[in-house]
Every structure is written in C-alpha cells, then in structure tokens.
C-alpha cells in the first residue's frame, strides 16, 4: 500500500528439535557403495529437476561407479511421465528411486542415508527451506548460487551452481565433492553451523519478526513524516482490539436497523466508544 517505509529480509526458519538435530556426522562415500544423490521438495521443471537425469548418466560414466538418484516430493503426473520416459531412454530406471510424499520423520530417515543433496532451486526462490534442512543434517548441498538459501552459506562455499539448469555445472559440483571429501567435510560443518545460527526458528527467526514489528509500531506512531498507510493499518488493528475489549458480548440488533446495516446499539454506545478510542489510539 503506497510506499514502503521500512523493509527487512528475514529468512525461513526451521526447528532443530527434531530428528535432524541428531544427524549423524558427515557421511563419506565408501569405495564399495553406490553414490546416493537426493532431491526433495516440489518435483517440477522450474527447479532444475530435468537436468538431473542426464547428470546422473554422465556421473555414472565419469565416476565409474553406481550412482542413485532419490526423489522425494509431489510431482505433477504429466511431468512424472516425461521424466520416467527420459529415464527409460537412458536406461536409468533402476537407478532412480521415487519416494513420493513423506512425513517429517521419514524425510529425515531417507536423508540420513544420502551422500549429496542436489537442489538446483529456482532463480527467484527466496529462501530454499529444503537447502536449510539438508545443510542442517550435514549433507553437502549443490544449489543455485542466486537462490536466497545461498546467502546463509559460508563465504566461498564451492558447491553452488552458476546456472541451475546446466548439466555441466551439476556434474562438476558433484564430482568436486567426490574428489576431495576432506575439504567437503570442512565446508559441510561450516555450512551446518551457519545455517543453525541464522535459521533456528524459535531462537533466531521469531525474535527477528517480533523486533521488526515493534520497530514498525514505534516508527509508524512517532514519525510524522511517514505516518500514512502503516499508521492507519496499525490504528485499525488497535481499534478492533479495543472494540473487542469494550464490547465482549455480541450486541443485540433491532429489526428496524437491519435494513440500514447499523445495529441499534451503536446509537447508545457509538459516541462513547469513539471518544474513548480517540483518547487511546494515535491519529495518523
């Protein structure tokens, strides 16, 4: 409404008191096991999922080892059909595991068995909650450098994608993780620590919301240069709250006043309420 007087960017928050809080240590890729990649969230082309199929094929050749792709989340039927067709064409059906929609505990259980989270994310994705969840579980995350989630990662984090739709970029980042797991473990620990410090819901994010609301309230009331729409909205909220306190019980409506749309009680109480509110609520 009109101009913005105050703005703040507050990231998504996630609770860390769940199974993810007991996440096992960084999971190294053993020589005798398949590399397990995971994508979770909305399975839609806008999030770069289409590139995961050719990336899977190329990684199998490049790494000379079995590679699995695990998909968690809801997928539109038409898009799922096209993905499955591409997998059949490339002979990858046996390498892709469709988990469908899972509850929180089952998601944590699957993530605990994965090696790398590949989450290209949309360019305009503001936060990327799935990235936070993966990082909090000490999974290396390959994600879009321009998504909001990237701002929560440590400076110089090396596994971000310049182009989330680029198969070359995805393959290069996964290959980098597999090639130097000592360095990867250090980056993963830093990312986990930073995401927890910046994104813990109750201890970090909610206090930021409350602080901003208090700042806006004091700014809207005391600043005459900016006492426009925001002040009106706050005054309306305050007025509704005061009305609820003043008139806790529903007011009787006289039949003859229904047509006019105004309860008869307003003739008795309206002037007193207006006077009282005028003294309680600052003018905009």
């Amino acid at each position: 409404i009109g101009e913005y007087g105050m703005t703040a960017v507050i990231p998504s928050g996630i609770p860390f008191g769940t199974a993810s809080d007991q996440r096992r240590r960084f999971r190294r890729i053993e020589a005798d096991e398949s590399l397990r990649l995971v994508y979770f969230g909305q399975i839609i082309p806008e999030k770069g999922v289409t590139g995961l199929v050719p990336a899977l094929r190329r990684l199998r050749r490049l790494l000379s080892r079995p590679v699995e792709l695990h998909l968690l989340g809801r997928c539109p039927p038409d898009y799922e059909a096209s993905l499955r067709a591409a997998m059949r064409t490339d002979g990858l059906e046996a390498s892709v595991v469709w988990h469908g929609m899972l509850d929180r505990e089952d998601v944590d259980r699957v993530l605990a068995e994965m090696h790398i989270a590949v989450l290209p994310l949309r360019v305009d994705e503001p936060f990327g909650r799935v990235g936070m969840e993966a990082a909090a579980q000490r999974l290396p995350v390959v994600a879009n450098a321009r998504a909001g989630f990237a701002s929560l990662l440590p400076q110089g984090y090396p596994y971000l994608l310049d182009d989330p739709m680029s198969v070359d970029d995805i393959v290069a980042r996964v290959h980098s993780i597999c090639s130097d797991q000592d360095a990867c473990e250090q980056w993963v620990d830093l990312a986990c620590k930073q995401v927890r410090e910046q994104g813990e819901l109750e201890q970090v994010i909610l206090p930021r919301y409350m602080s901003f609301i208090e700042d806006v309230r004091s700014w809207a009331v005391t600043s005459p240069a900016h006492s426009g729409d925001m002040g009106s909205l706050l005054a309306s909220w305050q007025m509704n709250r005061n009305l609820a306190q003043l008139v806790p019980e529903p007011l009787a409506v006289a039949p003859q006043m229904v047509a006019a749309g105004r309860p008869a009680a307003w003739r008795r109480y309206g002037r007193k309420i207006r006077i009282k509110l005028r003294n309680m609520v600052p003018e905009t």
Side-chain angles (χ1 to χ4, degrees), residues 29-66:
I29 308 163
E30 303 298 336
D32 59 346
E33 66 178 347
S34 298
L35 171 65
R36 291 187 288 276
L37 311 178
V38 63
Y39 171 95
F40 63 110
Q42 284 183 297
I43 304 175
I44 54 177
E46 294 86 348
K47 295 203 176 193
V49 181
T50 306
L52 298 183
V53 176
L56 177 62
R57 182 185 68 246
R58 288 172 53 178
L59 284 167
R60 291 175 66 186
R61 292 201 305 264
L62 180 64
L63 300 174
S64 300
R65 68 186 307 157

Side-chain angles (χ1 to χ4, degrees), residues 3-8 211-212 214-220 230:
E3 295 182 356
Y4 289 104
M6 293 181 68
T7 59
S211 175
F212 181 74
E214 289 302 316
D215 289 344
V216 169
R217 287 184 60 185
S218 60
W219 165 85
M230 179 59 77

Side-chain angles (χ1 to χ4, degrees), residues 147-187:
F149 161 68
S151 66
L152 299 179
L153 295 172
Q155 185 96 16
Y157 185 81
Y159 310 124
L160 295 176
L161 303 167
D162 297 323
D163 180 359
M165 301 297 177
S166 169
V167 176
D168 290 341
D169 269 10
I170 294 172
V171 171
R173 301 303 180 269
V174 172
H175 185 255
S176 175
I177 291 170
C178 297
S179 300
D180 191 345
Q181 293 199 53
D182 289 335
C184 180
E185 183 173 4
Q186 293 179 17
W187 281 112

Side-chain angles (χ1 to χ4, degrees), residues 68-81:
E68 299 174 1
L69 173 62
H70 293 252
L71 299 174
L72 287 70
R74 183 177 289 110
C75 184
D78 291 346
Y79 186 51
E80 180 177 343

Side-chain angles (χ1 to χ4, degrees), residues 174-243:
V174 172
H175 185 255
S176 175
I177 291 170
C178 297
S179 300
D180 191 345
Q181 293 199 53
D182 289 335
C184 180
E185 183 173 4
Q186 293 179 17
W187 281 112
V188 165
D189 286 344
L190 283 174
C192 178
K193 180 175 182 290
Q194 192 154 309
V195 164
R196 286 173 176 269
E197 288 176 350
Q198 297 186 53
E200 205 286 325
L201 181 63
E202 293 187 7
Q203 302 301 319
V204 179
I205 300 303
L206 291 182
R208 288 183 64 180
Y209 274 110
M210 298 308 297
S211 175
F212 181 74
I213 289 170
E214 289 302 316
D215 289 344
V216 169
R217 287 184 60 185
S218 60
W219 165 85
V221 172
T222 61
S223 174
H226 299 285
S227 56
D229 296 312
M230 179 59 77
S232 299
L233 290 171
L234 288 169
S236 298
W237 167 80
Q238 183 74 43
M239 188 175 296
N240 282 325
R241 192 179 75 162
N242 290 338
L243 282 171

Side-chain angles (χ1 to χ4, degrees), residues 236-270:
S236 298
W237 167 80
Q238 183 74 43
M239 188 175 296
N240 282 325
R241 192 179 75 162
N242 290 338
L243 282 171
Q245 293 172 346
L246 288 167
V247 192
E249 298 298 328
L251 296 174
V253 179
Q256 65 271 24
M257 297 300 295
V258 172
R262 178 175 295 179
W266 279 100
R267 289 191 293 183
R268 300 197 303 272
Y269 300 122

